[in-house]
Amino acid sequence: MGASRQLLRFVIMGAPGSGKSTLALRIIKHFQLKKFSSGDVLRDNMLRDTEIGVLASIFMAQGKLIPDDLMTRLILQELKIFTQYNWLLCGFPRTLTQAEALDRVYQVHLVMNLNMPFEVIRQRLTARWIHPASGRGYNLEFNPPKAVDVDDVTGEPVIQRVDDKPETLIKRMKVYENQTKPVLEYYEKKGVLETFSGKETNQIWPCMHAFLQTKVPQRHQKTQLPHKEKSL
Ligand SMILES: Nc1nc2c(ncn2[C@@H]2O[C@H](COP(=O)(O)OP(=O)(O)O)[C@@H](O)[C@H]2O)c(=O)[nH]1
Ligand SMILES: Nc1ncnc2c1ncn2[C@@H]1O[C@H](COP(=O)(O)OP(=O)(O)O)[C@@H](O)[C@H]1O
């Protein structure tokens, strides 16, 4: 893939709270990829009170996945806007049906999987806060907002996600085990899966960054910055 003129089609996967969004933000800072998050698309629909948003909020609050046909139609439709760009999908696909539907339209070149102990995830999610309109995420321990309870950019309130409640998290982890883990096997068989294990973003990121430098053609790499960053 390295030398080809193909557009880059990357995916980042991992259990809820494993750091997909946090690492995706670092990736797009260093590499020319558009980040596309299924959770953000759903939350945007929820904020705008669309039909999809109303439906999504019911499934999400129960820790369930949004049905495949709806989700796939939504994401493939939204992705059309990015046809001319390299992209990085965050949170999609989450089931085998979604992965197969994506495959029918795009060739995925690389899937980065985050592997992290459940206890770390549980601790992180009790302290996760988000700005719903932008999807910007905070963590009271790891990257707190500059001012208490408000988004750094807009000054609007940040909230805790209803699906981060401990009982909903347990359900989401089961869904991840049963429905999303098979997607990892699917990509493994295709030879595009790369797994990164660790407990901290700052530990995983240098490995991921170094790996991506070998996968992303030079022309799609942004000016090199030091590996270590203070936040985000
Ligand atoms: N303590 C801690 N929190 C982190 C770290 N990396 C990310 N987080 C926070 O953990 C939560 C989950 O991360 P996020 O990127 O939203 O995970 P996602 O659900 O996989 O997209 C967020 O509140 C992040 O700010 C880390 O290395 N340490
Ligand atoms: N690809 C998807 N298929 C079905 N439901 C999805 C998908 N992506 C997101 N969702 C719904 O949105 C919720 C939040 O997803 P996301 O923002 O990616 O959070 P996290 O990675 O923390 O679980 C999921 O628990 C699920 O209900």
Side-chain angles (χ1 to χ4, degrees):
M1 176 190 65
S4 88
R5 307 298 289 179
Q6 257 179 331
L7 288 164
L8 307 175
R9 304 296 183 219
F10 291 180
V11 172
I12 186 161
M13 292 185 65
S18 56
K20 298 181 291 296
S21 314
T22 307
L23 282 155
L25 281 178
R26 291 193 184 185
I27 293 170
I28 62 170
K29 220 161 147 187
H30 293 257
F31 302 95
Q32 279 163 1
L33 290 147
K34 298 270 182 203
K35 168 175 164 302
F36 187 84
S37 154
S38 54
D40 287 351
V41 171
L42 293 172
R43 280 183 290 274
D44 175 58
N45 272 275
M46 283 158 67
L47 273 183
R48 290 187 289 116
D49 230 4
T50 65
E51 218 174 297
I52 289 175
V54 172
L55 200 68
S57 63
I58 297 168
F59 285 96
M60 257 199 215
Q62 295 175 356
K64 291 181 182 163
L65 294 182
I66 279 66
D68 282 333
D69 53 344
L70 177 69
M71 202 63 211
T72 301
R73 250 184 296 126
L74 175 70
I75 299 301
L76 291 181
Q77 181 60 35
E78 296 265 335
L79 269 183
K80 284 185 186 163
I81 302 166
F82 295 114
T83 311
Q84 300 307 318
Y85 298 96
N86 299 320
W87 47 240
L88 170 68
L89 293 186
C90 183
F92 185 92
R94 258 176 154 101
T95 66
L96 273 179
T97 308
Q98 292 178 10
E100 285 162 0
L102 182 66
D103 254 5
R104 286 194 282 276
V105 191
Y106 300 100
Q107 188 196 345
V108 172
H109 305 120
L110 174 65
V111 177
M112 289 169 280
N113 170 42
L114 304 174
N115 176 32
M116 185 163 297
F118 174 67
E119 188 45 33
V120 176
I121 287 174
R122 198 189 57 73
Q123 277 177 4
R124 280 180 179 196
L125 292 190
T126 55
R128 171 157 75 178
W129 291 72
I130 64 155
H131 175 241
S134 65
R136 264 185 295 281
Y138 299 94
N139 187 284
L140 298 186
E141 293 151 19
F142 179 64
N143 61 328
K146 289 185 185 118
V148 180
D149 294 350
V150 295
D151 176 48
D152 290 351
V153 178
T154 62
E156 290 165 359
V158 290
I159 56 155
Q160 272 196 296
R161 283 170 43 176
V162 283
D163 54 342
D164 280 347
K165 281 189 297 191
E167 60 274 23
T168 318
L169 176 61
I170 301 282
K171 287 187 196 151
R172 287 160 69 204
M173 290 304 288
K174 282 192 184 138
V175 167
Y176 173 75
E177 287 291 325
N178 296 333
Q179 294 181 257
T180 307
K181 273 212 171 151
V183 181
L184 297 177
E185 286 158 35
Y186 174 85
Y187 283 130
E188 173 123 63
K189 281 194 192 128
K190 287 186 175 286
V192 294
L193 185 73
E194 186 72 21
T195 292
F196 297 86
S197 300
K199 294 181 181 173
E200 292 289 333
T201 291
N202 287 341
Q203 172 198 359
I204 293 172
W205 171 240
C207 306
M208 188 176 269
H209 183 250
F211 173 76
L212 281 170
Q213 283 182 311
T214 69
K215 291 285 171 190
V216 176
Q218 195 66 46
R219 67 181 182 285
H220 297 308
Q221 298 192 20
K222 296 182 182 175
T223 317
Q224 295 308 301
L225 299 169
H227 285 191
K228 265 198 168 172
E229 289 163 52
K230 285 195 187 89
S231 64
L232 265 191

mmCIF file of all heavy atoms in Angstrom, residues 21 62 81 142 161 165 173:
data_model
loop_
_atom_site.group_PDB
_atom_site.id
_atom_site.type_symbol
_atom_site.label_atom_id
_atom_site.label_comp_id
_atom_site.label_asym_id
_atom_site.label_seq_id
_atom_site.Cartn_x
_atom_site.Cartn_y
_atom_site.Cartn_z
ATOM 1 N N SER A 21 -11.240 7.535 20.498
ATOM 2 C CA SER A 21 -11.382 8.951 20.113
ATOM 3 C C SER A 21 -10.114 9.729 20.449
ATOM 4 O O SER A 21 -9.664 10.562 19.654
ATOM 5 C CB SER A 21 -12.551 9.603 20.845
ATOM 6 O OG SER A 21 -13.666 8.781 20.804
ATOM 7 N N GLN A 62 -29.699 1.896 26.590
ATOM 8 C CA GLN A 62 -29.769 0.513 27.086
ATOM 9 C C GLN A 62 -28.450 -0.225 26.889
ATOM 10 O O GLN A 62 -28.362 -1.427 27.131
ATOM 11 C CB GLN A 62 -30.866 -0.241 26.332
ATOM 12 C CG GLN A 62 -32.257 0.306 26.586
ATOM 13 C CD GLN A 62 -33.308 -0.390 25.722
ATOM 14 O OE1 GLN A 62 -32.987 -1.233 24.891
ATOM 15 N NE2 GLN A 62 -34.550 -0.029 25.913
ATOM 16 N N ILE A 81 -19.506 11.928 1.618
ATOM 17 C CA ILE A 81 -18.950 13.300 1.669
ATOM 18 C C ILE A 81 -17.421 13.250 1.671
ATOM 19 O O ILE A 81 -16.755 14.156 1.207
ATOM 20 C CB ILE A 81 -19.449 14.025 2.946
ATOM 21 C CG1 ILE A 81 -20.976 14.062 2.960
ATOM 22 C CG2 ILE A 81 -18.858 15.425 3.063
ATOM 23 C CD1 ILE A 81 -21.557 14.446 4.327
ATOM 24 N N PHE A 142 -7.377 12.622 33.418
ATOM 25 C CA PHE A 142 -6.405 12.577 32.330
ATOM 26 C C PHE A 142 -6.314 13.903 31.565
ATOM 27 O O PHE A 142 -5.239 14.438 31.333
ATOM 28 C CB PHE A 142 -6.801 11.440 31.383
ATOM 29 C CG PHE A 142 -5.911 11.272 30.198
ATOM 30 C CD1 PHE A 142 -4.578 10.905 30.349
ATOM 31 C CD2 PHE A 142 -6.396 11.464 28.908
ATOM 32 C CE1 PHE A 142 -3.762 10.731 29.244
ATOM 33 C CE2 PHE A 142 -5.588 11.284 27.803
ATOM 34 C CZ PHE A 142 -4.265 10.918 27.978
ATOM 35 N N ARG A 161 -22.031 10.967 29.786
ATOM 36 C CA ARG A 161 -22.903 10.196 28.903
ATOM 37 C C ARG A 161 -23.753 9.239 29.726
ATOM 38 O O ARG A 161 -23.237 8.585 30.628
ATOM 39 C CB ARG A 161 -22.057 9.415 27.893
ATOM 40 C CG ARG A 161 -21.539 10.288 26.774
ATOM 41 C CD ARG A 161 -20.526 9.606 25.910
ATOM 42 N NE ARG A 161 -20.844 8.227 25.551
ATOM 43 C CZ ARG A 161 -20.106 7.496 24.729
ATOM 44 N NH1 ARG A 161 -19.022 8.018 24.177
ATOM 45 N NH2 ARG A 161 -20.431 6.253 24.459
ATOM 46 N N LYS A 165 -22.840 4.998 32.581
ATOM 47 C CA LYS A 165 -23.212 4.536 33.934
ATOM 48 C C LYS A 165 -22.709 3.103 34.108
ATOM 49 O O LYS A 165 -22.774 2.308 33.155
ATOM 50 C CB LYS A 165 -24.739 4.518 34.102
ATOM 51 C CG LYS A 165 -25.332 5.888 34.373
ATOM 52 C CD LYS A 165 -26.791 5.766 34.740
ATOM 53 C CE LYS A 165 -27.570 5.196 33.580
ATOM 54 N NZ LYS A 165 -28.999 5.235 33.660
ATOM 55 N N MET A 173 -19.994 -3.823 27.417
ATOM 56 C CA MET A 173 -18.828 -4.708 27.331
ATOM 57 C C MET A 173 -19.236 -6.090 26.820
ATOM 58 O O MET A 173 -18.505 -6.720 26.052
ATOM 59 C CB MET A 173 -18.131 -4.833 28.692
ATOM 60 C CG MET A 173 -17.423 -3.571 29.150
ATOM 61 S SD MET A 173 -16.202 -2.907 27.995
ATOM 62 C CE MET A 173 -14.894 -4.089 28.142
#
